[in-house]
Amino acid sequence: MRPMRQFNFNSAAELFPAAIRKKKRAGFTYRRFGTAAEAVRFAIEELPADSLNGAYLQVDEARFDQRGIRSLYESEAFPLPRRGKAAQPDAAGNADAA
């Protein structure tokens, strides 16, 4: 993973849903955040995986796709505490024990 350039997690950010016309995504619409850190945490910890796929984050003039958002979240510079997502079922349908 390449190192993050000077990214300001305190900048305001906008999170946009994937542009899919045929399928309406329940519960996820455009959302504005006071800080990019809050937007990144929301995207990774709160959005279902299918909603994150195709969504993008805009901070100042920069846009981040799913990979970019995940990279920001995993960055050592990420200023907020991270929490795990809810237990995700595996291929057999069993939920991971947290």
Side-chain angles (χ1 to χ4, degrees), residues 16-57:
F16 295 87
I20 296 176
R21 295 180 184 177
K22 291 182 183 178
K23 185 176 180 182
K24 187 149 181 119
R25 295 194 190 275
F28 177 47
T29 59
Y30 164 85
R31 191 159 173 190
R32 184 166 175 79
F33 293 84
T35 69
E38 293 169 327
V40 167
R41 183 167 64 181
F42 176 82
I44 298 298
E45 296 180 2
E46 304 295 332
L47 284 183
D50 68 329
S51 291
L52 181 58
N53 185 23
Y56 71 91
L57 176 72

Side-chain angles (χ1 to χ4, degrees), residues 85-96:
K85 289 184 77 123
Q88 298 293 320
D90 61 17
N94 302 316
D96 294 336

Side-chain angles (χ1 to χ4, degrees), residues 47-89:
L47 284 183
D50 68 329
S51 291
L52 181 58
N53 185 23
Y56 71 91
L57 176 72
Q58 177 137 2
V59 181
D60 297 323
E61 298 297 318
R63 282 190 182 187
F64 300 87
D65 62 5
Q66 177 182 1
R67 268 193 247 181
I69 295 168
R70 191 167 305 280
S71 178
L72 290 169
Y73 183 77
E74 293 171 355
S75 164
E76 289 181 18
F78 185 73
L80 301 177
R82 295 171 184 91
R83 70 175 166 88
K85 289 184 77 123
Q88 298 293 320

